Amino acid sequence: MGDSTLATDSDPPEPNLVGKLPEVVNIVEDGDLILDVTFENSKDTIRSARAAQSRFTATQESQPALKKKARLAFRVSLKVLKAQSKYFEKLLTDSRFKEAKDISNAFAALSLRHIQPQDAEVKDLPWVKIQDDDQATHYAHREGALSDLLRILHFKDATTKQITMSFVTTLAVLADRFDCAAGVSKYLVSGLKFKWPVTSRKPVRDEVSVMNRNNEDLLRQKILVSWLLNQPARFQAATKEIIMNGSCRWSPFAEDDGASDATWWYLQDGLEQELQFRRQSILNTIASVQRHFLKLYTSRGRQCKLGYDSSAACDSYQLGEMFKFLTNKNLMFLVDFSPGSLDSIADTSLLQIDGILTTLRQCPSYQIDKNHTNCGLRTRVLPILDFIQGLLSSNSIPLTRATWKSNRQAAAWMPPDGGDKKDVEVKPFLFTRSLAGDQRLRLENAMGADRLARDVFTASSWDWTAEDQAYDNLPSTTPRWNLK
C-alpha cells in the first residue's frame, strides 16, 4: 500500500496528458492539488460485493460498477490536507519525497506563467499518485469512502446515502492510514450520526445462544472503529461483549480462511491477544470451581459433616449427582487414554460466560435421605457463583481505551512477552465468607473492585473452601494457601 518514494535529482515530474487523465472529483473547486488514486479489488471482494448487491436490488443501480482496478482523481486543498493529516503534511512538504518535489516544481512552473494554483487547469496542477488495495477492509466501494473522507477533512458533508458498518470501518481504516482520525471521529458523532448495529441479543429459554459469524464480524468492526476513532464508551462495551461471548478465531479447532483476512479479524496494538487472554482467565476461574469440588469429593476427606454412619454413602451419592449434572450440561467431558476419546470434547470457544454461570446455578439439591440436608454441591457453590457474577460486573473486565493507549503494561492482564514462566509471581486466591459479603461487589464502580476482579481472574490457583479446611482436621486435596 506504499504510495511515496524518495526523490532524486534525476526524477522529473510526470506530465499529465489530457488523454491519460482519469475522472476528477472536485472536493473543492479551487483546489491546488490532485490526488490520483488507483483502487485495486481482489476477486473475492468483488464476488462478495456482487452477492451483497443481489440481496438489495433496490440499491443495486446506485452503486458504481465493480472493477478489479479503478482510477479516480480528487481535487483538494494542499493547505487543508497538511493541517488535517500528519501523513500528508510529511509526504507533501518533506523534500526527501518525490511527491513534495513534484509539487514544488509544478507550482514554480505555474508561477512563471503568472497563474495561481487555485485557478489552474487540472492538467497543470501537481498530481500525487496513491495506491489502495482491499487487503485491510475487503470493501469494494472504497472510492466513495475516500471521497467522503476528503470531504470531511475539508469540512464538508459526506455524500454516501447508505451508511453501513463496512463503510464506517473502511472510513476508519483510511483515516488511520492517513493519520487524520481526529476530524473523522468528531464527524462520526456530530455529522454522520451513524446508528451502530446491535450484535448482542438476549438468550431464549432452553436455547444454546451462540454468536454467529456475521454478528462477530460486526462486533469486531465495532471494536476496530471505536479504537481507531476514539470512541471510548463503545470500545469498552464492545470489548466486554466479545470477552463474554467468545470468538470463533479463538477456537483450538479454528481453520484459517480468506474471510478472516480483514484487519479486524486480528485486532491491532495487542488487543487480540489481551481480549483472548482475559476470556481464558475468566473461563479458567469458573472451571476451577467444579474441578475443586470434584477433587474434594473424590478424595479421602469426608465432606458430609453430619457424622452419621451414612456420611460416606452421602459423599458418594453427591459425587455421582455432581458428575451426572456436569456431563449432562456439557460442562465436563469424559476423556480416557485412547486418542479417539478427544473427539468427545466440544468446541467451547463461543460458549457464553453468563450461560455457564446460569447452568451451574441449576445444580440440583438432591439428598440421599431426609436427614442429609445441605450436603450437596448447590449449597456450597451458590455463594461462589454470586461472587464471580459480582466480579464480572466490574469495569476491569473490558478494556479501557485511555489506559490501554497510555499505560498498556499496567492495564494488561497478560504477562509481558518473553517473560520466563519461572519469574511469574505465584498468586493463589482464597475464597472466604468475608469476600462473599464484600460490599464492593454490590456497588457499581466501587473503589478497589476492579483490582479485586483482576487479582481473582489472574490468580495462579484457587481455593474455594479455604475456611472449611481451616476449621477441621480432615485431609484435603487442596493446599492451605496464604494471600500474598
Side-chain angles (χ1 to χ4, degrees):
M1 295 177 66
D3 46 37
S4 62
T5 55
L6 291 177
T8 61
D9 294 337
S10 60
D11 292 334
E14 295 183 5
N16 294 312
L17 301 178
V18 176
K20 294 184 178 181
L21 293 182
E23 177 187 353
V24 179
V25 177
N26 289 327
I27 302 299
V28 286
E29 298 290 341
D30 57 350
D32 53 3
L33 177 68
I34 303 295
L35 297 181
D36 185 6
V37 187
T38 301
F39 301 92
E40 297 180 356
N41 294 318
S42 64
K43 293 181 180 179
D44 292 337
T45 298
I46 294 176
R47 188 183 303 111
S48 299
R50 286 173 177 170
Q53 284 185 354
S54 64
R55 292 194 296 268
F56 302 100
T57 55
T59 60
Q60 187 173 0
E61 297 179 357
S62 63
Q63 294 286 1
L66 296 173
K67 300 179 181 179
K68 187 175 181 180
K69 181 179 291 188
R71 186 183 175 198
L72 193 62
F74 303 91
R75 185 166 186 168
V76 296
S77 169
L78 176 61
K79 180 180 179 181
V80 172
L81 284 188
K82 291 192 297 183
Q84 294 284 345
S85 168
K86 294 180 180 179
Y87 172 91
F88 283 117
E89 180 186 10
K90 187 73 172 179
L91 177 68
L92 305 180
T93 59
D94 194 331
S95 59
R96 294 177 297 175
F97 294 106
K98 178 181 180 296
E99 290 81 358
K101 187 175 181 180
D102 287 349
I103 291 174
S104 298
N105 292 340
F107 283 170
L110 290 173
S111 178
L112 291 176
R113 297 166 55 190
H114 304 288
I115 299 177
Q116 295 295 327
Q118 58 268 26
D119 300 326
E121 296 290 335
V122 168
K123 62 183 180 63
D124 298 324
L125 290 174
W127 285 58
V128 174
K129 289 189 174 183
I130 297 177
Q131 297 287 335
D132 183 76
D133 58 49
D134 63 347
Q135 183 178 2
T137 61
H138 290 196
Y139 185 66
H141 305 289
R142 297 186 309 284
E143 304 95 319
L146 180 58
S147 179
D148 281 339
L149 173 66
L150 295 173
R151 288 188 178 92
I152 293 171
L153 297 183
H154 286 77
F155 307 101
K156 294 188 174 184
D157 291 331
T159 59
T160 300
K161 301 299 182 183
Q162 187 179 2
I163 307 298
T164 62
M165 192 70 231
S166 297
F167 172 83
V168 174
T169 304
T170 303
L171 194 67
V173 171
L174 291 173
D176 179 66
R177 176 189 176 187
F178 297 121
D179 202 355
C180 55
V184 179
S185 175
K186 185 181 298 184
Y187 185 81
L188 180 66
V189 177
S190 60
L192 202 60
K193 296 180 180 179
F194 173 63
K195 186 176 181 180
W196 295 71
V198 177
T199 52
S200 61
R201 67 183 184 91
K202 294 182 179 180
V204 181
R205 186 183 180 94
D206 298 331
E207 176 188 358
V208 179
S209 180
V210 176
M211 179 182 295
N212 59 45
R213 189 180 181 87
N214 290 335
N215 277 355
E216 184 180 349
D217 193 72
L218 291 175
L219 177 58
R220 284 179 166 273
Q221 291 184 55
K222 287 165 64 174
I223 295 174
L224 180 65
V225 172
S226 57
W227 170 254
L228 295 178
L229 298 186
N230 191 15
Q231 305 288 323
R234 296 194 180 278
F235 178 77
Q236 188 171 359
T239 53
K240 183 172 183 178
E241 186 177 343
I242 198 171
I243 289 173
M244 299 296 287
N245 291 278
S247 168
C248 61
R249 190 178 183 88
W250 300 341
S251 169
F253 311 106
E255 297 181 0
D256 293 333
D257 53 23
S260 301
D261 291 340
T263 185
W264 54 85
W265 278 100
Y266 192 84
L267 297 166
Q268 61 192 56
D269 298 323
L271 295 174
E272 186 76 28
Q273 300 93 320
E274 178 67 17
L275 290 171
Q276 183 177 3
F277 183 84
R278 293 196 180 194
R279 174 175 170 82
Q280 290 177 347
S281 299
I282 296 172
L283 290 176
N284 287 336
T285 303
I286 299 175
S288 72
V289 177
Q290 63 186 47
R291 286 200 306 267
H292 178 82
F293 285 103
L294 284 172
K295 287 182 179 180
L296 286 182
Y297 279 89
T298 53
S299 68
R300 294 185 178 181
R302 186 68 55 81
Q303 299 304 312
C304 177
K305 303 300 191 296
L306 297 180
Y308 297 142
D309 293 339
S310 58
S311 290
C314 177
D315 284 354
S316 299
Y317 174 81
Q318 295 298 340
L319 175 62
E321 291 296 327
M322 189 189 316
F323 181 84
K324 183 170 65 174
F325 170 76
L326 294 175
T327 52
N328 288 340
K329 296 297 184 180
N330 290 326
L331 297 179
M332 187 173 66
F333 305 95
L334 288 176
V335 177
D336 54 31
F337 52 84
S338 64
S341 66
L342 296 176
D343 296 336
S344 63
I345 302 177
D347 185 0
T348 58
S349 59
L350 291 173
L351 198 60
Q352 288 188 341
I353 291 177
D354 286 335
I356 299 175
L357 295 178
T358 301
T359 302
L360 285 174
R361 290 181 183 277
Q362 299 172 3
C363 179
S365 56
Y366 294 134
Q367 55 192 69
I368 191 171
D369 58 41
K370 63 180 181 179
N371 298 318
H372 289 265
T373 58
N374 301 326
C375 287
L377 175 65
R378 181 177 179 83
T379 303
R380 306 176 74 177
V381 81
L382 286 182
I384 300 174
L385 297 180
D386 291 337
F387 174 73
I388 294 177
Q389 187 69 61
L391 296 179
L392 292 174
S393 303
S394 67
N395 287 330
S396 69
I397 304 304
L399 271 67
T400 305
R401 189 184 186 280
T403 55
W404 191 255
K405 197 83 172 178
S406 60
N407 193 359
R408 186 178 305 178
Q409 185 175 359
W413 286 16
M414 189 170 62
D417 292 337
D420 191 350
K421 293 183 178 180
K422 295 181 180 179
D423 298 332
V424 177
E425 182 183 1
V426 177
K427 300 182 297 181
F429 170 75
L430 280 73
F431 179 73
T432 61
R433 293 180 180 86
S434 61
L435 285 176
D438 197 326
Q439 295 299 318
R440 289 177 295 179
L441 302 178
R442 294 174 171 81
L443 300 175
E444 188 175 357
N445 300 326
M447 183 178 299
D450 294 349
R451 178 59 185 272
L452 175 62
R454 175 177 175 175
D455 290 344
V456 172
F457 290 129
T458 58
S460 58
S461 55
W462 300 266
D463 186 351
W464 298 107
T465 55
E467 287 184 332
D468 294 343
Q469 299 173 47
Y471 293 112
D472 60 45
N473 296 320
L474 296 176
S476 174
T477 58
T478 310
R480 300 180 183 180
W481 296 303
N482 292 320
L483 283 173
K484 293 185 179 180

